[in-house]
Each structure stands twice: as structure tokens, then as C-alpha cells.
Amino acid sequence: MNRPLSAIAGGATGIAVMSLLLLFLEVETRSNLAIFEAVARFAGMPGNVTFGFVLFVLAGVFAWPLAFMALEEYIPGGPDPATRGMVLAAVLWVVFVLTGRGDLSGGLLAIYVIFTLLAHLCYGFLLGAVYGRLTSEGPVESERYDPSDVSQ
């Protein structure tokens, strides 16, 4: 698969899992975190949660994966795209936490910080892993299963 489509597929996979994790967090905290409200507020449309969610999904499916594809070789983390995806996601998490935490404090802030970090790391891992898998040419010839080889 070509690189842009592979990156978008990785971003779609990652944002699906990240959205579920963040929605789970919203439910568990009875919407006290207002994560998508924070995204909308950051974009200059406070109070529009739907806009915040759509912007969150579009950035996660298109913007960050295409940026990852363009910057992949410059991102530290070795040759493993999943590790590089996690590094990119950690940088995105820092911006997300600094701009989206609103007036959270105490235990709720700690839950927000920890859970959003885990969600971002899951996103980055899936982005890189799917991208790496789809852009590779598959297993090396010597690693493929050969049914006639009894040593496998």
C-alpha cells in the first residue's frame, strides 16, 4: 500500500482506539473532563463539543498521520515505526495536556494526565504499527513459513 494511505489507515486505527479510551474516561468522570470541549475551545469554538470531536478525529486520521509520514525518518525511536509513533504521540500529548486541561486540579488532574498519556501512547503505537505493516513488503523471504521444511 502506498505511504499516505498507510499513514491514514494507521491514523484511523489509532484514533478509533483513542476515541474509545477518551470516551470511557469521559463516562467514568461523568463528563467532568470535557475533552472534546477543550479541543473546540482550542480551535476558537468554545461550547461546540461536536465540532471538537470532528476536529479531533480529522486531525487524528489525516493531519498527524501525514505529518508522521513526512517526519518519520527524523523522529527518534529507531527503525521501529510503532516506537516512532509513540514518540510523536508523546509530543502531541504534551500540547494536549497543556492546552486542554482547563481548570482541572487535584485528583481529577492526575487522572486526566495519566489517562490521556496512555491514550496518546496507544494512538501512536497503532499509528506506527499499522503504517509500518502496510508499507513493508511483508516478512523477509527467509522468515516465511515453508510447509516442506520440517524444522519449522
Side-chain angles (χ1 to χ4, degrees):
M1 184 179 282
N2 70 28
R3 292 181 58 202
L5 286 178
S6 298
I8 291 170
T13 304
I15 206 68
V17 171
M18 185 177 183
S19 296
L20 289 175
L21 292 172
L22 293 178
L23 287 173
F24 174 75
L25 180 63
E26 284 286 325
V27 169
E28 288 298 315
T29 60
R30 297 186 178 128
S31 298
N32 284 327
L33 300 179
I35 291 172
F36 302 118
E37 162 63 23
V39 173
R41 190 175 52 243
F42 178 73
M45 305 231 354
N48 194 340
V49 176
T50 303
F51 176 76
F53 180 73
V54 169
L55 182 62
F56 173 80
V57 170
L58 289 176
V61 172
F62 297 105
W64 304 134
L66 294 175
F68 174 75
M69 180 193 73
L71 301 172
E72 181 191 5
E73 63 187 74
Y74 304 107
I75 299 173
D80 184 16
T83 304
R84 287 180 169 169
M86 291 172 71
V87 171
L88 174 69
V91 172
L92 295 174
W93 170 77
V94 169
V95 175
F96 187 83
V97 164
L98 292 177
T99 61
R101 72 176 192 275
D103 56 354
L104 297 175
S105 62
L108 204 52
L109 179 60
I111 291 170
Y112 175 81
V113 168
I114 292 168
F115 210 87
T116 56
L117 175 62
L118 292 175
H120 276 81
L121 291 177
C122 285
Y123 170 77
F125 177 82
L126 290 170
L127 166 65
V130 170
Y131 172 78
R133 180 67 180 154
L134 293 178
T135 55
S136 72
E137 296 177 11
V140 178
E141 188 65 35
S142 63
E143 296 176 358
R144 290 189 179 158
Y145 176 72
D146 181 7
S148 64
D149 185 6
V150 292
S151 65
Q152 293 181 339

